Amino acid sequence: MSSPQILILGAAGYIGGTVLVDLLKSHPARNITALVRTDGKQSLLAPLGVNTVIGSVDDTALLSSLVSKADVVFNFAVPFFGGDAAMQTIVNALEVRARTSAVKPVLLQTSGSGSIMYGSDGVAGDDVWKDTDYDRWESLPDSAFFHSGDKILAAAAERGIISAYIVMSPTVYGPGLGPGNKLSLQMPAYVRYAKRTGQAAYIGKGENIWGNVHVSDLSALYLILMTHALTSPGSTAATPGSHGWSNLIYAGLGQHTWKPIVSLIGDQLAARGDIPHTGAVSIPEGSGDMYMFGGNSFMAVSEKAKALGWRQVQPDLEEAVKLALPK
């Protein structure tokens, strides 16, 4: 098929910018549109040659108009901006497009494993979720991170009018490739805390477990899912009446506990002369910076993603820390 019309929400962000750069390796810039919030973000994307529109996902009329022209929507902005109303607007516009389009529209939605975070004080957990635990996903409360928006996607997948995917990421690490934000949320939080206080720190026992994925491996998964959805539309979205959560894909490839990773951060920073103390110390839950968590958030590696050929190519988290903070 010819190159699809692609809309990216959040293209100046960490994950979105990386996916955009990877998309441009095989798709013409003229077929890619990015909705950005400011003139500054538009200027960042201009050298890439993609179409840019300045606006907000809170503008439902604009959002609906842009989505209605797209074969594929990558959503890295909602629910961080726009909330459930924007999410429903995207789904509605794609379902309307599906009535007249020769291509079954594809929606790839970013979510996070924070929705299943449990425990506290750095105590290790032993509850291993799977992305095939469909009834468990359905039973999560709306108060869980991302879940109310994820439910909108699951309902769309169950209707089967569009190919709607929830891509659930754990800790994302590695340098972003886009022209905008090149940093993740969690890892830099530990570095900032260490530089501010002179000592790296983890929460409680530091034995709490998180999944992880390199941002470039994550980007590869998005492109694999897009290609599969476009080339095999009948086998991707849940058929009407089946479980909508079957299109949830866990995007983690590794696991870590925080104490050894943060201790490594401390050692690397101290060796560089950035902080006076090596290693890391324990601090109470709630006393660290934002995105320093004491709970657990991990799942089994997705068999669904593996079946599509997804695998780890980039360095693991420990190696990535050494590369990011060379002595």
Side-chain angles (χ1 to χ4, degrees):
M1 63 174 294
S2 59
S3 183
Q5 295 296 318
I6 299 171
L7 173 65
I8 304 182
L9 309 175
Y14 173 58
I15 300 173
T18 301
V19 170
L20 172 59
V21 168
D22 284 342
L23 275 170
L24 286 168
K25 297 173 184 177
S26 56
H27 295 272
R30 66 178 181 275
N31 285 13
I32 300 175
T33 298
L35 175 63
V36 296
R37 286 180 290 151
T38 65
D39 291 341
K41 294 183 184 298
Q42 184 181 50
S43 297
L44 286 173
L45 299 184
L48 299 181
V50 300
N51 307 300
T52 54
V53 177
I54 299 176
S56 168
V57 293
D58 292 310
D59 184 340
T60 55
L62 173 62
L63 183 61
S64 181
S65 175
L66 293 173
V67 171
S68 68
K69 301 179 181 69
D71 299 311
V72 179
V73 175
F74 288 92
N75 181 17
F76 305 104
V78 182
F80 304 102
F81 302 95
D84 291 353
M87 189 79 71
Q88 192 64 64
T89 296
I90 296 168
V91 169
N92 291 348
L94 280 179
E95 289 186 338
V96 169
R97 178 175 175 81
R99 297 172 189 166
T100 58
S101 175
V103 177
K104 185 174 185 177
V106 179
L107 172 55
L108 294 156
Q109 167 66 34
T110 295
S111 184
S113 66
S115 61
I116 59 165
M117 186 167 61
Y118 66 93
S120 61
D121 299 317
V123 177
D126 57 6
D127 186 3
V128 183
W129 282 66
K130 298 179 180 179
D131 62 7
T132 52
D133 290 336
Y134 303 139
D135 290 337
R136 291 190 77 181
W137 293 113
E138 182 66 29
S139 65
L140 279 173
D142 284 353
S143 58
F145 290 131
F146 309 110
H147 187 62
S148 62
D150 289 347
K151 283 173 61 177
I152 295 172
L153 268 290
E158 187 166 332
R159 289 191 295 273
I161 300 170
I162 64 175
S163 294
Y165 281 92
I166 302 164
V167 182
M168 183 166 284
S169 305
T171 297
V172 186
Y173 65 91
L177 301 181
N181 184 17
K182 298 183 183 299
L183 298 177
S184 65
L185 295 175
Q186 282 181 289
M187 301 308 296
Y190 288 91
V191 173
R192 287 194 301 271
Y193 181 90
K195 288 184 174 181
R196 191 179 75 251
T197 65
Q199 176 74 73
Y202 51 85
I203 304 299
K205 291 186 174 182
E207 297 170 354
N208 51 315
I209 304 167
W210 273 69
N212 60 62
V213 64
H214 193 286
V215 66
S216 288
D217 284 331
L218 176 58
S219 177
L221 176 60
Y222 276 101
L223 270 61
I224 287 171
L225 289 173
M226 179 191 72
T227 299
H228 185 61
L230 289 171
T231 57
S232 306
S235 65
T236 53
T239 55
S242 67
H243 215 304
W245 293 99
S246 60
N247 274 17
L248 183 150
I249 306 292
Y250 175 59
L253 287 167
Q255 288 184 4
H256 65 280
T257 56
W258 283 106
K259 181 177 180 179
I261 290 297
V262 179
S263 295
L264 175 60
I265 290 173
D267 288 343
Q268 297 295 115
L269 289 173
R272 289 155 52 99
D274 293 337
I275 61 174
H277 304 292
T278 60
V281 298
S282 171
I283 58 174
E285 182 97 43
S287 60
D289 286 4
M290 186 179 293
Y291 304 115
M292 293 173 63
F293 298 117
N296 300 271
S297 182
F298 66 99
M299 295 168 62
V301 174
S302 174
E303 293 298 325
K304 292 181 284 188
K306 286 169 63 177
L308 294 175
W310 188 48
R311 61 187 179 87
Q312 182 170 341
V313 175
Q314 301 299 324
D316 63 20
L317 178 57
E318 181 177 340
E319 184 61 26
V321 169
K322 294 176 181 177
L323 290 171
L325 302 171
K327 294 181 179 179

